[in-house]
Amino acid sequence: MRTYRLALIGFGNVAQGFVQILQQRAQQLRTQHQADIQIVAVTSPSKGSLYHPQGIDPAVLLNAIEITGNFSAITADYTDWDTQRIIRESNANVILELSPTNLKTAQPALSYIETALQTGKHVITANKGPTALYYPQLKQLAQDNQVTLGIEGTVMSGTPSLMLAQTLRSAGITRIQGILNGTTNYMLTRMEAGLSYNEALTEAQERGYAETDPTGDVEGHDAVAKVVILANLLMDASINPNDVQREGITQITTHDIQTAQQAGKRYKLIGTLERQAKGRIRASVQPEQMDITHPLASVSDATNAITYSTQLMGDITLVGSGAGRIETGYALLTDLLKMPDYSKSDI
Ligand code: HSE
């Protein structure tokens, strides 16, 4: 049996989805995967800080959030440790970094991840800020400290887009194109059904698809971050968000969508990466009117899709959930279960 002692940094939608999975599947995880997963610490700026070296019951955490919205009613050995102290000094061996995405500076997540890796803790994150802006440096830091860095949840939530594509690298990936943001795809689908832009955004927020600040979704920054992650991880590129041509969906109205529909078209926010001459990569995120018969046009709601075009295998398309608390929580679980044993070896 492997014992994973987790510290959760942040307790928003994704963290709660992950804890819900643990609550429901603890027994299955023990018998099928020989995984004893304990939550020893949780910290959130708005909900409080808990460190209990023997482990905190997932049901107690979820119950407290449902009833009071914070951790004040939970008994733990330590309730005043700050995040950096929890990362450095707790008995956690894996840090789940789940604080809100900041695509400008990547902070505070970046400093949390750096501290964790430097102090020999494995890190799993669904945070696109540090991953889009600093992945090569963080990966190196993880290697230097003989620990692992899991990022599966940053693109297509728990749909294994990165895991699959890692195996396609040797087929020569020449182009990547897809629907990479669940919030905007959900909104475009609902606007086609007649909802206004604001009504559709409110629904997407209620369903837990949108970022803490949904501007990142609707203006295309979230999809840009994913394009950058894909380029740097899978196409040996070294690009940053400023290298991606970007246009969001804020200018698209319900009327535009319905007019396109009458012409047999459907608006989709499409991210594209294309290998060009001399190793250059063209990268963009923009709304496109796709013909209704195009495979990406039929991808609706918060579903995402990526087509990997390769030299040896032609096109391979992956369609699946792109956002959501359980879906992204599941991504964290897949990263956790694929970590090597605690011999501190590389992934
Ligand atoms: N806000 C993101 C989306 C979450 O809507 O796709 C998943 O990365």
Side-chain angles (χ1 to χ4, degrees), residues 32 59 80 124 176 214 247 263:
Q32 279 185 355
D80 60 349
I124 296 172
I176 300 176
E247 187 187 331

Side-chain angles (χ1 to χ4, degrees), residues 257-319:
I257 288 176
Q258 291 178 338
T259 306
Q261 199 180 5
Q262 282 151 17
K265 307 267 186 195
R266 196 166 264 160
Y267 272 101
K268 292 290 169 194
L269 185 66
I270 301 292
T272 305
L273 282 163
E274 209 150 16
R275 206 179 281 288
Q276 298 186 310
K278 296 184 185 164
R280 278 178 53 84
I281 302 278
R282 187 183 72 79
S284 64
V285 167
Q286 59 195 24
E288 293 184 21
Q289 288 189 49
M290 322 281 292
D291 199 273
I292 209 106
T293 57
H294 190 287
L296 292 181
S298 61
V299 175
S300 59
D301 298 316
T303 305
N304 282 188
I306 301 184
T307 299
Y308 297 102
S309 300
T310 70
Q311 289 163 326
L312 300 184
M313 284 296 296
D315 285 0
I316 295 180
T317 299
L318 184 67
V319 180

Side-chain angles (χ1 to χ4, degrees), residues 46-116:
S46 59
K47 300 179 179 77
S49 166
L50 301 171
Y51 171 41
H52 196 63
Q54 302 311 311
I56 306 162
D57 184 343
V60 169
L61 279 175
L62 295 173
N63 198 38
I65 292 304
E66 199 181 324
I67 292 171
T68 63
N70 61 49
F71 305 141
S72 57
I74 300 179
T75 308
D77 283 3
Y78 306 92
T79 54
D80 60 349
W81 284 28
D82 66 24
T83 303
Q84 287 284 357
R85 184 170 183 194
I86 284 179
I87 295 171
R88 278 197 312 267
E89 298 179 30
S90 75
N91 67 344
N93 50 17
V94 186
I95 306 298
L96 264 56
E97 198 297 309
L98 305 167
S99 53
T101 293
N102 174 341
L103 291 175
K104 291 202 172 73
T105 66
Q107 294 292 10
L110 179 63
S111 66
Y112 298 152
I113 295 175
E114 285 173 338
T115 302

Side-chain angles (χ1 to χ4, degrees), residues 209-268:
Y209 303 145
E211 298 299 306
T212 310
D213 176 2
T215 316
D217 294 294
V218 295
E219 290 187 349
H221 296 287
D222 176 77
V224 164
K226 291 165 181 167
V227 158
V228 170
I229 293 168
L230 290 166
N232 295 347
L233 196 67
L234 305 173
M235 295 178 90
D236 300 316
S238 179
I239 65 171
N240 66 58
N242 293 329
D243 298 319
V244 183
Q245 189 189 326
R246 174 186 57 83
E247 187 187 331
I249 65 157
T250 50
Q251 302 305 316
I252 299 177
T253 63
T254 303
H255 177 71
D256 294 333
I257 288 176
Q258 291 178 338
T259 306
Q261 199 180 5
Q262 282 151 17
K265 307 267 186 195
R266 196 166 264 160
Y267 272 101
K268 292 290 169 194

